[in-house]
Amino acid sequence: VFLRCKITFRTVVHQTTKTHAYNKDLSGAVDPMLHPGADGIRNPTAEWFMFEVRIHGRGGQGVVTATEMLSIAAFQEGRHAQAFPSFGSERTGAPVVAFCRIDDKEIRSREPIMKPDALIVQDPTLLRQIDVFAGLKQDGYVLINTKGTFEELGLGDIAANWPANRLCTLPATDLALKHVGRPVPNVPLLAGFAALSGLIQLESIRQAIETKFSGKVAQGNFAAATEAFEMVRARIENLRKEAVNA
């Protein structure tokens, strides 16, 4: 699918030399990829693995804006980041894929992300059209825009064989309609991803929102982001409690 897509020339790259400390993720566990230090704080001398995110959606859903905002949020936290899209077709409703890389050092690769650490699916109808899970790394994060469960989406096998704290669904379109008045799920999904992965802080999402929007639109988007973040955080916390009590 990706090899047939047309790669555009709009690449957003943020490079920085600032340092950053990483906290424990919301499940209370330390992810060796994101948080190499035993106490959940990243050791500056520890090896950092580039984190790659692939976002699937349709034209008009803000897929490209989502990766750009994710790169801005990462930059706000002192990291290098890169965002760029790949279009199968630029018409509204056509499948769109966009990519974001985050690293502590300069990013030189400009290739499409074939083996993502995380997938964000903005339109669940794509699950019946393309293999959005192609190349997903073992135990990678998956966030899907839907009211339903993985089982209801026909993804029961994935749910049964994947760590529960790496999988999440979120009614992002509903949240966008509620707070912004438009069915654009990108910002709630970014905030949900921040809560799910622990990679980005909600405050950084707010700063990214303010670079793209202003006034009431920015306020509405941050309200949607905040509710999405809290929803996913609560779900992760419940999973953590269930694991402790098991």
Side-chain angles (χ1 to χ4, degrees):
V1 172
F2 305 109
L3 294 179
R4 294 198 297 270
C5 290
K6 179 179 68 177
I7 306 302
T8 71
F9 294 98
R10 183 171 70 171
T11 302
V12 177
V13 179
H14 297 285
Q15 308 286 13
T16 180
T17 57
K18 294 186 293 182
T19 59
H20 178 73
Y22 297 80
N23 297 318
K24 286 183 179 180
D25 67 23
L26 294 171
S27 68
V30 175
D31 187 323
M33 180 178 291
L34 302 181
H35 316 288
D39 59 357
I41 303 298
R42 175 159 158 69
N43 181 345
T45 63
E47 183 180 3
W48 163 263
F49 299 94
M50 181 188 295
F51 196 90
E52 298 182 311
V53 181
R54 194 169 72 211
I55 301 181
H56 293 266
R58 295 187 184 277
Q61 292 184 329
V63 176
V64 177
T65 300
T67 54
E68 291 176 353
M69 293 177 66
L70 181 56
S71 72
I72 291 169
F75 176 74
Q76 296 294 336
E77 299 194 6
R79 280 167 277 181
H80 300 266
Q82 172 199 92
F84 61 100
S86 172
F87 297 100
S89 170
E90 297 185 29
R91 62 183 174 81
T92 299
V96 176
V97 184
F99 313 100
C100 182
R101 289 187 172 96
I102 300 171
D103 206 338
D104 270 358
K105 58 183 180 295
E106 184 177 354
I107 300 170
R108 299 185 181 278
S109 175
R110 296 292 187 271
E111 298 299 317
I113 293 172
M114 307 303 289
K115 296 182 178 181
D117 299 286
L119 285 175
I120 299 175
V121 182
Q122 294 197 175
D123 191 322
T125 64
L126 289 169
L127 297 170
R128 300 189 296 270
Q129 186 173 353
I130 61 176
D131 183 8
V132 300
F133 296 98
L136 177 64
K137 291 180 182 175
Q138 184 177 3
D139 296 345
Y141 296 92
V142 181
L143 178 61
I144 302 177
N145 173 27
T146 180
K147 298 177 184 178
T149 65
F150 276 75
E151 288 77 11
E152 290 170 341
L153 292 172
L155 302 175
D157 288 345
I158 292 177
N161 295 289
W162 217 259
N165 65 348
R166 298 300 177 95
L167 304 176
C168 191
T169 60
L170 179 71
T173 298
D174 289 352
L175 293 175
L177 284 169
K178 174 182 176 181
H179 294 286
V180 185
R182 296 182 58 209
V184 182
N186 55 355
V187 171
L189 285 168
L190 282 185
F193 170 71
L196 179 66
S197 68
L199 180 68
I200 297 292
Q201 303 299 312
L202 180 61
E203 171 61 18
S204 301
I205 298 294
R206 181 190 66 78
Q207 294 178 38
I209 289 170
E210 292 179 348
T211 67
K212 291 289 186 180
F213 309 105
S214 61
K216 291 184 178 180
V217 175
Q219 293 172 10
N221 271 289
F222 185 60
T226 301
E227 185 170 353
F229 187 91
E230 295 299 336
M231 288 177 68
V232 175
R233 181 167 66 174
R235 188 171 304 177
I236 296 299
E237 179 63 19
N238 287 337
L239 287 171
R240 186 189 67 79
K241 291 179 179 178
E242 290 174 4
V244 169
N245 296 327

